[in-house]
Each structure stands twice: as structure tokens, then as C-alpha cells.
Amino acid sequence: MSTIQVALGSRSYPIEIGNGLLSQTGAILQALQLSQNTVVVSSKRILSLHGEPLFRSLRRAALNVAPVVIPEGERHKTLATVDKIYHALSRLRVNRKTLVIAFGGGVVGDIAGFAAASYLRGLPCVQVPTTLLAQIDSAIGGKTGVNLPSGKNLVGVFHQPRAVIVDPLLLSTLPPRELRSGLYEAVKYGVIRSSALLDLVAQKHSRFPQRDKQGLEQMITECARIKAEIVSQDETESELRMILNYGHTLGHALEAATHYKRLTHGEAIGHGMIMANQLAERLNNLEASEAARINAAVQHIAPLPSLRQLRWNEVYRHMLADKKFVDQSFRFVLARRVGHVDIVKDVPRPAVESVLRSYLHAQS
Ligand code: GLY
């Protein structure tokens, strides 16, 4: 078991990571001296899989618990779902001390975090993530929000949780494609900060989650350590935190161009990292052997879904509409070597077009 601190002055908080930790949630919250009254925001599926040990642990610590069930899936990450949570919180007559526990994957974490941030001008929140992606990324760092019909995460605020409680054993019920989606993000952490982590993912991922529980916990801990360090230095993404977007400039455009249906988030980022490396070979002195090492780690997780029949200009159109397209120029996070990336501003449009065209052409 490990504790990693996100260091943000009076808003600092621990990330507790350990196999079997779900059943200690109540004791952890009690030690943090948060409210006696808790509301667990989750989905029906997660509650039926893992709700029992969580509720038992909370009650054992003499905490009052009320569940609030919301629908699952990205298409429900909307203001309408937030409204449902507000109504439930109002019915439950919560006060400003009531603790909201976000129990689920990235979508639940973002919506419940946003509802907590805004109801009564802010309730405390604890994240208990149940997917690999949420355990290593979205539950840490305080980004909360919802989608609008015109785009993803367009409404949101930073609202740091009071704690993040990570139990890697919960991943044993995760569909394999969802596990892989998180593994691509783990590759991302290796490339941006740690050559040893990239090796760990490459060598051990095929044994996750069941056959190497220690290795999985170690990988999650390393990713969380990197995320915590970056968020502690740049909470609101004024500069450094942007490096977490390695692979995301092209990846987000691929997700949007395929209507969020053909690719998981991680698969889109996998393609995005490979394309970003092609740019980095041209623009950031990334050696071909280093690019090959990263690309092999991505492809070794599983062959990425084909992008056949996807038109390059459709993807490009989404890139031009992205938040990262600022003042008519592209900003990319590009690897220099494994363990080090740079934020490269003013990436020439013809270079981006050419990489995208040839990558999609090779897929057809
Ligand atoms: N997932 C990127 C960030 O939290 O900044």
C-alpha cells in the first residue's frame, strides 16, 4: 500500500493505493475527519459489482450513506445528469459538509465532481475510481465537468477531491478493452516522465489484472506519482500540466471524427502518440530508435483498431476546432526521448497535415 500526496497547500490531499483498499474506505475517511454524512454517486452496474464492500466499510466507520444512481456512459455526461444529482441532493437535504463520494469510472468521477463543486457552492468530494483510466488519470487532479452537444468537457471547474482511494483489485471486473484503454495512458506516463515505467508496462501488461496483482499496483502507483507531481506544480494547466496531453491533440480529433464510437479514449491516444512521434522525429530530434520503442510499447498492448475509411480532412477539421489550436497554430506535446517531452508551439500546419495524411493512407 502507498500514499502519495498531491501538494496544493491547504487543499493538499492523499491518493491511497492498495489491493483490497475498498473495504478500508470508511476507516480512511474517518481518519481524514470528513463528514459523518456521505452520498455515494455511482451507476447501477458498479453498485451491483462493488457496492456491498464499500457500503459495509462506510457503515462500519459509523458513516451515514445515501446512494445516488446515475446512468452510465459518455452520452450521459450532461447537465441533465447533473440536474438529477442536484435533485437527489436536495431531497436528501444535504448540507455544505456532506461528503460526495464519486464511485465509478471517468464519467462518474467528472459528473459527480462537478455536482459536488457547484451544489451549495461546493461540497467536499472523494474519488473512488473503478477503471484503470480513472485510477491513473481522471480521478486525480480536480478536473470536473460535462459535455455539451457542441463538444467534450466544455463546461467544468477545477474542484480538488479531499482524497482519492484506489483499489486495483476492482479492475478484475473491468472489460479487457477498457483495461487496455487505461494501459495506453500508462504508456503516456512512461514517455513523459519515466523510462522504467514504460518498460514495466511493456513487460508486465499481459499479466494484468489477475496474474500479476503486485505489478498492476506498482504500475498504478508510478502513474499516480507522476500525475500528482505534475498537478502539484501546475494545478490549472498554465504550462507544465499540458504535458499530460501527449498523444491527445490528434487523439481527441480521432475520437470526435469517429463520433466517440469506433475507438476507446486510450485507443485514440495510442494512434495519437504514434502520429505525434512522427512529428517529433521531424521537429523535436526524437531518434527513430526511441520512436520505435514507444510505438512498439503501444502496439504490444493490442493492435489498434484500424482507421480505414476515415478521411484525413475530417480529422483535421476537428483539430482546427480544438482548444489546443490557438492563434491559428498548433501546440503539440512531442517526445524528445523516452522520459522527456517538450511543449512545442507553432507546429507548422503542413507538417501536421502531412503526418495525418500519410498515417491514414497507410491504414487504408
Ligand atoms: N487528463 C489530463 C489532466 O488531468 O490534466
Side-chain angles (χ1 to χ4, degrees):
M1 188 188 144
S2 321
T3 303
I4 294 163
Q5 202 66 14
V6 179
L8 292 169
S10 60
R11 289 173 299 107
S12 298
Y13 57 94
I15 307 168
E16 306 284 358
I17 305 170
N19 287 331
L21 215 53
L22 186 68
S23 60
Q24 292 176 46
T25 305
I28 294 170
L29 298 184
Q30 205 175 34
L32 290 170
Q33 298 189 317
L34 298 168
S35 172
Q36 287 295 110
N37 297 317
T38 69
V39 172
V40 175
V41 179
S42 190
S43 71
K44 216 165 133 190
R45 196 178 58 86
I46 292 298
L47 288 179
S48 70
L49 285 169
H50 303 294
E52 186 50 38
L54 174 67
F55 291 143
R56 215 178 317 121
S57 155
L58 295 173
R59 291 194 181 113
R60 219 176 29 236
L63 303 178
N64 303 315
V65 197
V68 172
V69 178
I70 59 172
E72 257 195 357
E74 190 72 35
R75 73 195 171 91
H76 294 292
K77 193 173 145 179
T78 58
L79 289 169
T81 306
V82 175
D83 197 44
K84 277 190 191 142
I85 301 176
Y86 290 155
H87 276 92
L89 295 176
S90 155
R91 259 195 323 273
L92 291 164
R93 297 184 186 285
V94 307
N95 62 44
R96 289 181 81 179
K97 289 205 163 126
T98 303
L99 178 68
V100 173
I101 300 176
F103 186 43
V107 171
V108 168
D110 282 9
I111 303 176
F114 183 67
S118 46
Y119 193 74
L120 299 181
R121 299 204 178 88
L123 306 179
C125 177
V126 162
Q127 295 278 346
V128 184
T130 59
T131 63
L132 180 57
L133 202 69
Q135 292 190 345
I136 64 177
D137 191 10
S138 60
I140 305 166
K143 281 189 180 173
T144 73
V146 294
N147 304 331
L148 293 183
S150 48
K152 268 186 87 164
N153 297 329
L154 289 184
V155 175
V157 290
F158 287 97
H159 184 60
Q160 296 297 339
R162 298 297 179 92
V164 183
I165 299 171
V166 177
D167 182 350
L169 293 187
L170 301 185
L171 305 181
S172 62
T173 57
L174 198 63
R177 195 170 173 203
E178 284 304 311
L179 185 81
R180 293 200 296 270
S181 183
L183 287 170
Y184 295 113
E185 289 277 0
V187 167
K188 172 193 85 176
Y189 282 110
V191 176
I192 65 177
R193 273 294 159 92
S194 166
S195 175
L197 173 59
L198 187 73
D199 286 342
L200 190 157
V201 181
Q203 285 158 16
K204 298 199 167 174
H205 74 83
S206 59
R207 300 172 61 80
F208 298 161
Q210 297 289 21
R211 288 182 297 126
D212 189 353
K213 295 187 175 114
Q214 292 313 320
L216 178 58
E217 184 182 323
Q218 189 193 351
M219 181 194 80
I220 291 170
T221 307
E222 284 312 308
C223 294
R225 202 185 302 284
I226 294 170
K227 176 110 191 214
E229 186 199 308
I230 291 170
V231 170
S232 299
Q233 287 177 53
D234 178 18
E235 180 183 7
T236 54
E237 200 168 306
S238 55
E239 184 81 19
L240 177 71
R241 187 167 174 168
M242 284 178 206
I243 69 173
L244 294 168
N245 291 330
Y246 167 62
H248 284 56
T249 309
L250 280 149
H252 278 160
L254 288 177
E255 280 185 285
T258 52
H259 311 286
Y260 301 95
K261 287 194 177 130
R262 250 166 91 177
L263 304 167
T264 64
H265 176 68
E267 288 163 352
I269 301 318
H271 280 299
M273 289 190 285
I274 295 174
M275 282 190 268
N277 292 343
Q278 293 176 358
L279 271 177
E281 284 189 65
R282 295 185 196 185
L283 304 173
N284 208 37
N285 295 326
L286 178 68
E287 303 232 345
S289 59
E290 286 287 89
R293 182 176 160 210
I294 303 167
N295 298 349
V298 171
Q299 277 148 344
H300 196 240
I301 288 169
L304 291 167
S306 155
L307 300 176
R308 227 181 359 240
Q309 290 178 339
L310 190 58
R311 297 210 329 261
W312 81 270
N313 46 0
E314 182 58 12
V315 182
Y316 196 65
R317 191 172 68 76
H318 285 282
M319 293 185 74
L320 296 178
D322 194 278
K323 309 195 266 281
K324 290 180 275 307
F325 184 66
V326 180
D327 297 335
Q328 296 299 306
S329 77
F330 286 112
R331 198 171 48 196
F332 267 84
V333 179
L334 297 179
R336 175 136 14 127
R337 58 178 181 276
V338 172
H340 183 97
V341 290
D342 298 296
I343 299 162
V344 181
K345 298 183 175 124
D346 297 325
V347 171
R349 288 170 68 156
V352 178
E353 277 180 41
S354 134
V355 162
L356 190 54
R357 283 177 105 125
S358 67
Y359 190 79
L360 291 185
H361 184 71
Q363 302 257 320
S364 58

